[in-house]
Amino acid sequence: MESPASVRLFCRDSDRDASLGDTLRQRGWQVHNDTIFESSGACCCHEHVTENEVGLMMLDALSSDELRRLEASMIKSRCPWIGLVDESGLADGDTRRLIINLCLGYAMQPVDADRIEGLLWTAADLMRLQRRENESQKQAATEAGADSGEYEMVGTTPAMWQLFKTIRKIAAVDASVCIHGESGTGKELTAQAIHERSPRANGPFHAINCGALPDNLIQSELFGHEKGAFTGAGQRKIGRIEAASGGTLFLDEIGDLPLELQVNLLRFLETRRLQRVGGLNEISVDVRILAATHVDLAKAVDEGRFREDLYHRLNVLQITVPALREHPEDIEILAHFFFKRFAGDKPACLKGFSRESLAVMQQYAWPGNVRELINRVRRAMVMCEGRLIQPEDLGIERRRIHRHVLTLEQARERAERDSLLAALARNKYRIHPAAAELGVSRVTMYRLLNKHGIPRSPGESASGLGRSTSSAHL
């Protein structure tokens, strides 16, 4: 058995419970006594406790304000906590919540030394186990590669259910598709979902960002070139269109394609034949084209920046990926999903999000959509030094949050709708159990669903279209 870990005992007066410290020392523990609050009134528990120590906190006779400051300090610490509390403390709601949220266990006063030591051994063992698990997760993440990128389409709202339903319909038809949506909403992931549910699923999926390549390289990238076609063309190159034969080609940011190349792409869509740069022979290619843009192509056509005939060739079928602000109920679900997805990046002591950070995320406008959410969550997981991610870890400034003033009736409507969606999600969209949970009849449940425009069936599970089998980046 490993030697006991170090224990740091916190109470109002460092001399108040010296007997407990002496008892633990006699049993082989290294004990350090500290006061909860410094002479200035500041609570700095997280600065005194190391990740190799167990914290023992006496929680009696603390005011609500002191408990609030203590909670903030404990959240920032990297050690497991054991609470010591008397009957009056346990009767206080704030104290109970602190114990439930931040402590691995608690003991009643007067103190039973055997019980305290048992709790300390459990905490110390879990601390060691957490360190081993953290190392294991980091190793697994390293072996898998940081950018393996297997994302999943996640959503429980009507907006996402409609997206899933449209994807299934479009996937069954072998026609060109134009995917609309703001930057960061997941247009490439939507394109890949269409491919994987289409008859071409066993063929290749190739994606190219038309706005990320220099104009002089786009033609060669799309159509390929023959050896000697231009300076530097030392060998034949197969273009992306030809490489995707039998499968799907995704053209992201199609609105940035230069006009002269729009002509070549239009000709290919009309004939399904192409010529490599510098080549003489035409090559037949069987490929489905999916295009995406964050700009208004119809407006670009009116302004002469995009060919009308190409627009109609690409826009046979349309699908719009909703912005994150259009389904805010999914923000918390997405945050937890990506927290688990990138668990290998976080320290072992990090357990999730604080209530305040979740509230701030709900209020934030997310101009970068899901991509921004992923980036902020990943950064917070790396930078957070406490147990729960705080708003400052996410880098969201409160002054940047646009606060909407709601009437009392609007607040009631929103709360009612959120409760309905949550109950349906928990009960897998079974109406009777959801109604029973909410304490209403089935008739009332149906009336409320109609009132708020909520579908009676999700069309698909909360994880929507499931996990992609190849890499796709939001």
Side-chain angles (χ1 to χ4, degrees), residues 1-7 27-30 52 117 121 124 128:
M1 180 180 291
E2 294 188 45
S3 60
S6 176
V7 180
R27 298 187 177 207
W29 293 83
Q30 301 175 31
N52 295 316
E117 187 174 22
W121 270 117
R128 298 185 184 103

Side-chain angles (χ1 to χ4, degrees), residues 206-208 210 222 249-254 265 289-292 314:
H206 286 271
I208 183 170
C210 299
L222 284 177
L249 177 67
F250 174 59
L251 300 175
D252 197 7
E253 302 303 347
I254 189 70
L265 180 59
I289 300 293
L290 306 180
L314 292 172

Side-chain angles (χ1 to χ4, degrees), residues 154-191:
V154 178
T156 62
T157 56
M160 293 302 293
W161 294 332
Q162 183 60 46
L163 176 63
F164 301 153
K165 183 178 179 181
T166 305
I167 287 174
R168 290 197 305 272
K169 288 182 177 180
I170 285 178
V173 181
D174 198 34
S176 298
V177 181
C178 195
I179 304 171
H180 301 272
E182 297 178 8
S183 295
T185 52
K187 296 187 291 294
E188 182 176 341
L189 187 57
T190 300

